[in-house]
Structure formats: C-alpha cells, structure tokens
Amino acid sequence: MANPAILTVDDDLAVSRAVARDVRRQYGDRYRVVRANSGSEALEALKEIKLRGDQVAVLLADFRMPHMNGIEFLEAAMDLFPRARRVLLTAYADTDAAIDAINRVDLDHYLLKPWNPPEEKLYPVLDSLLDAWTTTPEATASVTRVVGHRWSAPSFKVRDFLARNLVPYRWYLSDEPEGARLLAAAGVTEADVPLVITPEGKSMVQPSETDLATHVGLSTTPAKEFYDLVVVGAGPAGLGAAVYGASEGLRTLLVERRATGGQAGQSSRIENYLGFPDGVSGAQLAERARRQAVRFGAELLTTREAVELDVRGATRVLKFGDGSEVASHAVVLATGVSYRMLEAPGLSDYRGRGVFYGSAATEAPSCSGQEVYIVGGANSAGQAAVYFSRYAQRVHVLIRGESLVRTMSRYLIDQIESHENIEVHPFTEIAEASGDEHLEQLVLRDARDGESRSVDTSWLFIFIGAEPRTDWLDGVITRDRHGFVITGPDLIAGGNRPVGWTMPRDPYHLECSVPGVFAAGDVRSDSVKRVASAVGEGAMAISLVHRYLEAQ
C-alpha cells in the first residue's frame, strides 16, 4: 500500500504550487502529496486513490474556486474519505464562510492566507491533524479480507453485502498466492470459500449475513424493547422517515433487511435529484442520509427481516425471522420493491455467477474489455448502461418494446445515444442461458418473428419490473392485487371503511388499513416511482404519525 496522501487544491497556480511545496518539504518522506487545480480535478484524484485502496489523511482546499468552491469540494470528498481531516484555506474576508463550513462539512481547521512562515502557521496545524488521523483506529490499513472463487455465488453475495453497506474490504482470489496463504492460515480449503477475515483477525467460513454484519460492526439487535416509531426498510422513503422522525424527537428504529439505499442505493448515478446538479451515486446519497439519521439519534438495524405485524391494542409489534420482536406506537412501511425474476431456461443456474439482478457495481471492473448485456428499459437500466460503458468493450441494452422513449428519462436516453459503445436492441428477449461453471452464452430471440441468435458473454444484469415484498402483511394490511399497500382515500373508495378499522375518523393520507401504520415510497399502491417522491412521502408520513400520536 502506498503512503497515505495529503491532497491540496487551489485554482491559483502559484498558490497551489506553494502549498504543495511547503507540505512536501515537511511531510514528503511519510506522505504522498497530491496537488489539484480545481475541485473536479481533485475529486477525480480522490476516486483514483479510493479505487487503489489507498488512504487520504488530510484535505486542504481553497475556499474561492470557480464552479466548485472549497466547501462544496470538501462536502463531496466526505463521501469518498469521511475520516480524512479537512482544512479550508481562506482570506480574511471569508472567515464567516469558514465558520459556516465547520457545521456543514465538519471542518477540522481553517487557515488564513498567507500562512508564512509555515513553521509557525502551517506545520503545527498539520502536525496536530496528522496525529489525530493516525491515532484513529478506522484510519489504519486494517480492513476486512474476503477470499473466494471468481465465479462463486456465495462469494459474490458476501462482497455485494459489504460493498452495499460501505464496509471496506480486500478481495483475494482463492487460486492466487495471497488467497491461498490466507486459506492455509485459517485451516480451510478452496472448497470452503468464501472465507472472511475481520480486521481483528477472526476467520469466518461461509458466514450468514447476520454473522457478517455483527463482526464488521453493523448493529443487528435493538437497544430497546419499545420505540415511538419503527421504520421498516432503509431505502429513500425509509431514510427520509427516519431523518424526520428522529430529528423531531421520536425514538426511532430503522430496520433494514440487507443494506441502506434499497434499489436507489444500487444506482451508479442519479442526475435528476433536486440539489445535485452534477449527479450523485445512489450509495453516496444513501450514506449521507444514513449519517444524518444516526446524527439525529435514529437507531439502525441491519440484516433484520420483518416477517409479521401484530396489533396489540395501541401497540404495533414487529416480529423478525429469528423469533425476536420489537414494539412501537407507530410503524412506517417503506420496504420498497424488488426486481422481478426473469424467466428463461438456465438463468437461475447462474445467479451470482454471471447473472445479476441490479447493478452489482462490485463486478464492473471485472467487465473490462468484455461484452455486457443489460435487460430493462427504465432509468435503473439506463444508469447501469452508462456506468458499465466505462469498463466494457460494448454494452447491449435489451428491451421488448420499440424504443426507450416511453420508459426512460430523456436525459438518460441522450447519454446512451452519446456513447458509441452502448447499443440498444429493441424487440429482443432472452430465450436461454448456458455455460459451464458460469454464464458463457445467451440465446436472444426477436419478439416479432421469433428468430433466435446466440451471443457469447459472461455478464448479464437484469432490471425488469418491480414487485413488493409484502406477503408477510397478508391478513393484516389491505393490499391491491399486485401486493402494493393501499393507503388513505383509496381505502374508503365507494364509501366503505376497511375491514377491521377501529377509528371514528377516515384513514390519513398515507395510513394503512391498521391505524398507526403508514406506507411510504414504492411499496405504496399507485405511488410515483422516483427517489424524490419516496423521500417526500417518508417525510410526510412523520407529520401524519405526529397527528396520530397526538390523537391517542
């Protein structure tokens, strides 16, 4: 691993050189000094450092830069290196902005220009910040290590779980020297993969997601038995509900089956979300929301799947798959939707071994120079196509319709058309999948004339339709024929109250057929399937929770 980096960014070339020179003179023997002349250039440098698995110790950014000022840069950089120490370079006239930045980006220090002599005004500050960084346990090079086979579905599942929960890890192939050494040290064979080794040195063979979560620091057990509010699902709607619920003083528990972000968390780039003109990845957006919810006091449980909702008077009880339960005054259902399984001979045999549902961003670097196939015509498929086009030789988008116009946002269609290595195949469906230990070939069929052709590929990513995970609510919550939760005015269409409704009033707008239980986001019947609307419904649900609690 390379020396940790100290990154400086300033659009004034002379100042940029001077900062880098002074920093390199004092710290160049222990740290790699990286210099950038703009916020965007600095972010690209940080992304390269992140991909290499290296560390960044300190970020020094000038406040007054065009296009992206220093505060905006530091805010974006937090998503890549949240533990790097942050310093803002300011003039005397900008001290108010620096003070604001202390709250906005958790600024560690601001330096007034000029900083001469550096021995008095620069080095003592950096010495203190570097000491703090090196003594922070999370800043060490120790990370979770995963040893597995390239085409092992359980190995992919472990890697995907860690990546989606933003747990740093290193991946070792079991047939390479270092992977083989780790297997030998743990006393297991290649047939036992995946092997997971925690930063503390504990070895786990084929761990469950719950065991994995527990040993990498994710919370899996509620701290209390009773809460004001339990939110089920940590996608955009659930995160929105958790942020607003916790910020308004409700004892809030957020329960997630797998990882924060939901389907949106797998999006490589969301460019139509308000307030992010340059776009934001789903993982970044979800992580910011998670940090925000936790900062307000929300408690987050991972790998806990709700399997039953029980009504006990004014108490709402959620039961989990392991038999445990948690009670609350109110519940927000924000479980979202899952991609529908694509039915074709052979596909189910290669899930996690060349066939993936969702973007599976962990696999993108492995697709370098290869042919990638994507099934689906909605925004999630378009975002994935643009993302994989950075790595793949060619990306093929398979759709059953005539074009993308009716199913995909215009901005994504324009991007796809601008990439020479993305090709859209209309009226095309998958007829069969085949291969040896992993996917090697697809049979594509023309939906108009039935003509088939075979293509060689090891990569298929599927984004088709959506169905809610609501079977566990059967007999308790009213749902439509597709399984989506019916709420508010739709429950009393025709003048009839829902069966079992005990209140003298009509259901609130997002309220389900059980008083005190609300639904928000994609799981709700006739909802708008967009990230912004899901976040809005999550926030709206909290105002209705307050109204419900005040009336009790």
Side-chain angles (χ1 to χ4, degrees):
M1 182 178 292
N3 285 338
I6 298 175
L7 183 141
T8 73
V9 53
D10 197 308
D11 66 306
D12 185 317
L13 190 59
V15 174
S16 177
R17 287 173 175 167
V19 174
R21 178 200 63 217
D22 288 345
V23 172
R24 190 174 289 111
R25 184 173 61 194
Q26 183 73 3
Y27 306 102
D29 59 331
R30 292 161 289 157
Y31 295 89
R32 186 162 55 95
V33 180
V34 179
R35 181 170 66 87
N37 297 324
S38 68
S40 59
E41 181 182 325
L43 283 178
E44 288 302 314
L46 288 179
K47 290 175 183 177
E48 290 183 11
I49 294 171
K50 187 72 173 179
L51 288 174
R52 288 196 299 266
D54 296 333
Q55 298 283 339
V56 175
V58 175
L59 301 164
L60 297 98
D62 181 53
F63 172 64
R64 289 181 178 268
M65 294 188 293
H67 308 301
M68 179 187 294
N69 66 36
I71 296 176
E72 293 168 336
F73 161 72
L74 291 173
E75 186 174 20
M78 286 173 65
D79 292 323
L80 294 169
F81 292 96
R83 295 182 181 87
R85 302 296 166 168
R86 293 173 283 277
V87 179
L88 194 67
L89 299 175
T90 67
Y92 284 105
D94 298 325
T95 52
D96 288 342
I99 293 171
D100 291 339
I102 292 174
N103 292 323
R104 182 171 167 184
V105 296
D106 195 18
L107 195 67
D108 292 291
H109 202 90
Y110 70 91
L111 287 171
L112 293 175
K113 296 188 290 185
W115 58 87
N116 291 324
E119 290 78 10
E120 294 180 12
K121 298 183 177 180
L122 177 64
Y123 298 153
V125 171
L126 290 183
D127 285 343
S128 176
L129 295 178
L130 290 170
D131 285 344
W133 182 82
T134 54
T135 56
T136 301
E138 292 81 359
T140 66
S142 296
V143 295
T144 298
R145 288 168 289 176
V146 180
V147 184
H149 189 272
R150 177 67 196 85
W151 297 111
S152 161
S155 296
F156 163 74
K157 189 175 181 180
V158 165
R159 294 168 59 212
D160 189 57
F161 177 82
L162 294 173
R164 291 187 60 188
N165 282 285
L166 301 180
V167 176
Y169 73 92
R170 289 190 180 277
W171 165 244
Y172 300 91
L173 290 173
S174 55
D175 56 358
E176 292 183 344
E178 184 60 22
R181 283 192 286 268
L182 291 172
L183 290 175
V188 297
T189 68
E190 189 173 354
D192 298 318
V193 298
L195 168 70
V196 178
I197 305 169
T198 68
E200 295 76 26
K202 177 179 175 59
S203 298
M204 295 184 290
V205 178
Q206 300 180 10
S208 68
E209 288 187 346
T210 300
D211 288 339
L212 192 57
T214 300
H215 286 92
V216 297
L218 301 176
S219 179
T220 60
T221 305
K224 306 178 182 70
E225 294 182 355
F226 195 93
Y227 295 82
D228 295 320
L229 171 69
V230 173
V231 181
V232 187
L239 287 166
V243 167
Y244 280 88
S247 68
E248 294 174 15
L250 297 177
R251 290 171 299 173
T252 301
L253 176 68
L254 178 59
V255 180
E256 171 51 45
R257 187 176 67 93
R258 197 145 194 273
T260 54
Q263 281 194 359
Q266 294 181 279
S267 297
S268 55
R269 200 74 178 165
I270 301 172
E271 297 188 65
N272 58 354
Y273 188 73
L274 185 68
F276 290 88
D278 298 319
V280 61
S281 76
Q284 288 176 324
L285 189 63
E287 173 59 10
R288 290 186 178 197
R290 185 200 65 79
R291 291 201 309 258
Q292 197 172 13
V294 171
R295 183 167 66 86
F296 283 127
E299 183 182 339
L300 173 61
L301 291 190
T302 307
T303 68
R304 276 289 176 262
E305 183 172 11
V307 297
E308 186 178 341
L309 175 64
D310 193 10
V311 180
R312 302 176 187 171
T315 300
R316 308 292 175 254
V317 178
L318 277 173
K319 296 183 179 180
F320 300 127
D322 64 349
S324 62
E325 60 182 39
V326 66
S328 64
H329 289 303
V331 171
V332 173
L333 302 173
T335 50
V337 293
S338 59
Y339 290 115
R340 252 195 334 262
M341 298 295 104
L342 183 59
E343 299 295 333
L347 278 181
S348 60
D349 298 333
Y350 302 105
R351 187 169 182 183
R353 299 188 296 131
V355 176
F356 306 93
Y357 287 86
S359 64
T362 53
E363 302 301 302
S366 300
C367 299
S368 180
Q370 300 188 44
E371 302 281 322
V372 170
Y373 285 77
I374 292 175
V375 179
N379 279 9
S380 53
Q383 290 161 352
V386 172
Y387 178 68
F388 281 106
S389 69
R390 305 175 193 170
Y391 302 90
Q393 178 177 327
R394 180 162 291 273
V395 176
H396 303 268
V397 181
L398 313 181
I399 58 174
R400 300 183 68 176
E402 181 180 4
S403 72
L404 298 169
V405 173
R406 295 183 60 185
T407 57
M408 189 177 291
S409 296
R410 185 70 240 179
Y411 81 92
L412 275 171
I413 295 175
D414 292 341
Q415 287 187 26
I416 286 174
E417 291 175 347
S418 69
H419 284 73
E420 294 183 357
N421 66 333
I422 300 180
E423 183 177 355
V424 179
H425 302 265
F427 304 111
T428 303
E429 56 190 16
I430 293 178
E432 188 179 348
S434 60
D436 188 5
E437 64 175 2
H438 62 90
L439 177 69
E440 295 179 288
Q441 191 173 77
L442 293 172
V443 176
L444 307 183
R445 181 169 54 218
D446 191 308
R448 294 165 296 186
D449 56 20
E451 184 177 343
S452 298
R453 60 189 176 93
S454 297
V455 295
D456 294 330
T457 183
S458 296
W459 306 101
L460 175 65
F461 299 90
I462 300 170
F463 303 81
I464 58 166
E467 51 190 13
R469 300 190 190 98
T470 57
D471 291 345
W472 62 283
L473 299 171
D474 191 29
V476 181
I477 299 294
T478 301
R479 300 171 295 152
D480 66 19
R481 61 190 180 91
H482 299 293
F484 293 93
V485 175
I486 301 175
T487 59
D490 292 336
L491 284 168
I492 54 175
N496 297 316
R497 295 245 177 115
V499 176
W501 183 260
T502 59
M503 306 293 285
R505 60 172 175 81
D506 290 340
Y508 297 136
H509 182 64
L510 299 180
E511 198 167 20
C512 305
S513 56
V514 172
V517 178
F518 302 82
D522 290 359
V523 74
R524 194 174 65 82
S525 181
D526 292 329
S527 65
V528 178
K529 304 298 188 283
R530 287 291 185 269
V531 174
S533 64
V535 173
E537 287 193 6
M540 186 193 307
I542 299 307
S543 67
L544 299 175
V545 167
H546 280 296
R547 191 186 303 181
Y548 167 78
L549 293 177
E550 290 165 1
Q552 295 304 298

